[in-house]
Amino acid sequence: MKRGPLFYAKILLFGEYGIIKDSKGLAIPYNSYKGAFKIANVLEGKQLSSNQNLVKYFHYLKQLDSDLVSFDLDQLELDLENGMYFESSIPQGYGVGSSGAIVAAIYDQYAEDKTTVLENLTKEKLLKLKTVFGLMESFFHGTSSGLDPLNSYLSLPILIQSKDDVESVGIPYQQNGKGAVFLLDSKMIGETEPMVNLFMDKMKNEGFRKMIREEFVIYTDACVDNFLHGDAKSLFGNVKKLSKVVLENFKPMIPKQFHSLWKKGIDTNAYYLKLCGSGGGGYILGFAADFETAKMALSDHDLELVYRF
């Protein structure tokens, strides 16, 4: 095996934290970053580090006791001994699914009786896959929804209706308009596990739970519906509300130096920022009704275009 198939990054457009508490969510593949298995005769640097991490992952899979999935562990062990590593351009700790791509690649290569992309993907099959991927990805984050690997494996937009209801969906074709979804590089690495732990701690507070129920989930669900129906005007209105709620209630997940920039977007309507994944660093997701205006307002920062309205 000189090189395995490619697995892409993902962007969770809507649903960060909310999907833990049954809001809707929408994840799309992001083809600018990708990874694949390779084999090298001599491992050094990043290749060696990747191989060593995969060996740790192999031991995790070895003790994974589940009726839902089994792996050809002998072949995996042999490939690792022969110098297999995961070559990836997906930045780690950036909220775009670096571990999800590894999990998808392992499942694709080594899972026995696997569900393939070519099958009729019923909701039951998707839910089973998501559960399997959640078990597999827990090695990296402590707990995992399984959504990142699912998105990477299928390379399709995934709509989460609730924890027990996922489906692949079509999203509106990109337009050549002024509006855009973009990524802003915080130049910092974020760690998922401490951020999720912080969120779960906050959820012990009744006031925080009420805000999640009555504001965060409602605006998130509205954003998903607006996006899927191509209703850009309503979308920007709801993204603004969501951005405001996040700034007021998720401050620890937003790097301090971005608090004023976040508020500036809401105050000027030049752009609206939201968390990309768990936050704490990595990418910040941006929405703008006029991307050129947003670029000027954010001229000190590196932006990457994701989607055009």
Side-chain angles (χ1 to χ4, degrees):
M1 182 180 67
K2 289 287 178 247
R3 187 189 178 99
L6 288 169
F7 291 91
Y8 294 102
K10 75 89 194 58
I11 292 174
L12 184 62
L13 284 181
F14 304 104
E16 71 291 342
Y17 292 110
I19 55 174
I20 299 174
K21 294 295 157 196
D22 256 12
S23 79
K24 288 185 181 181
L26 182 63
I28 60 170
Y30 187 50
N31 297 353
S32 295
Y33 297 119
K34 50 195 169 291
F37 284 132
K38 277 185 147 183
I39 287 195
N41 294 328
V42 180
L43 290 166
E44 52 193 10
K46 282 183 177 175
Q47 296 174 356
L48 179 60
S49 169
S50 169
N51 176 270
Q52 288 169 340
N53 286 332
L54 285 171
V55 169
K56 287 178 195 162
Y57 190 42
F58 159 75
H59 288 294
Y60 170 79
L61 293 176
K62 207 171 168 181
Q63 58 78 47
L64 195 64
D65 185 21
S66 170
D67 298 334
L68 292 173
V69 66
S70 59
F71 302 94
D72 186 347
L73 293 170
D74 293 339
Q75 187 60 53
L76 174 55
E77 188 172 30
L78 189 63
D79 288 342
L80 290 169
E81 284 169 2
N82 287 334
M84 186 176 80
Y85 65 98
F86 193 69
E87 184 176 84
S88 173
S89 64
I90 307 170
Q92 289 187 324
Y94 261 65
V96 286
S98 56
S99 60
I102 293 172
V103 169
I106 287 275
Y107 180 86
D108 179 69
Q109 204 76 42
Y110 301 102
E112 294 169 331
D113 300 322
K114 67 181 181 186
T115 300
T116 71
V117 184
L118 302 173
E119 289 176 40
N120 174 24
L121 293 166
T122 60
K123 283 189 180 183
E124 288 72 26
K125 282 183 184 174
L126 283 174
L127 196 57
K128 183 188 170 185
L129 260 181
K130 181 174 171 288
T131 308
V132 166
F133 286 145
L135 285 171
M136 290 175 69
E137 201 184 27
S138 292
F139 169 78
F140 297 95
H141 301 314
T143 55
S144 163
S145 68
L147 183 62
D148 288 8
L150 182 66
N151 198 274
S152 188
Y153 183 62
L154 299 176
S155 219
L156 293 167
I158 302 290
L159 171 65
I160 304 98
Q161 296 278 18
S162 69
K163 272 189 285 209
D164 302 322
D165 187 352
V166 291
E167 59 186 292
S168 59
V169 287
I171 58 174
Y173 284 112
Q174 295 204 47
Q175 306 295 318
N176 209 5
K178 288 182 173 183
V181 181
F182 59 90
L183 294 173
L184 185 158
D185 190 347
S186 74
K187 308 285 188 192
M188 296 166 64
I189 288 175
E191 286 186 55
T192 300
E193 196 170 348
M195 292 292 120
V196 172
N197 289 343
L198 187 62
F199 173 78
M200 296 315 270
D201 209 45
K202 279 174 164 285
M203 284 299 288
K204 292 171 187 169
N205 178 300
E206 172 51 38
F208 188 82
R209 287 201 302 273
K210 187 170 187 281
M211 175 278 301
I212 290 288
R213 252 189 344 262
E214 295 179 6
E215 295 179 77
F216 189 78
V217 168
I218 286 168
Y219 298 146
T220 296
D221 288 359
C223 286
V224 170
D225 291 340
N226 297 156
F227 187 90
L228 290 176
H229 291 109
D231 183 354
K233 191 178 177 205
S234 299
L235 174 68
F236 288 115
N238 283 311
V239 170
K240 180 176 183 176
K241 290 173 187 168
L242 189 57
S243 181
K244 205 171 172 184
V245 167
V246 171
L247 182 61
E248 286 166 2
N249 299 280
F250 289 80
K251 273 207 167 74
M253 286 79 166
I254 304 169
K256 275 197 177 70
Q257 61 270 45
F258 289 95
H259 289 184
S260 58
L261 199 72
W262 201 288
K263 187 172 186 305
K264 183 183 159 192
I266 295 165
D267 291 345
T268 62
N269 296 313
Y271 57 85
Y272 306 122
L273 300 179
K274 65 183 289 298
L275 296 174
C276 181
S278 56
Y283 284 121
I284 293 168
L285 202 52
F287 290 74
D290 187 328
F291 190 43
E292 293 308 312
T293 302
K295 279 200 287 194
M296 283 191 286
L298 297 165
S299 56
D300 293 343
H301 300 273
D302 293 342
L303 308 184
E304 285 179 39
L305 182 67
V306 172
Y307 185 93
R308 273 277 193 196
F309 292 103

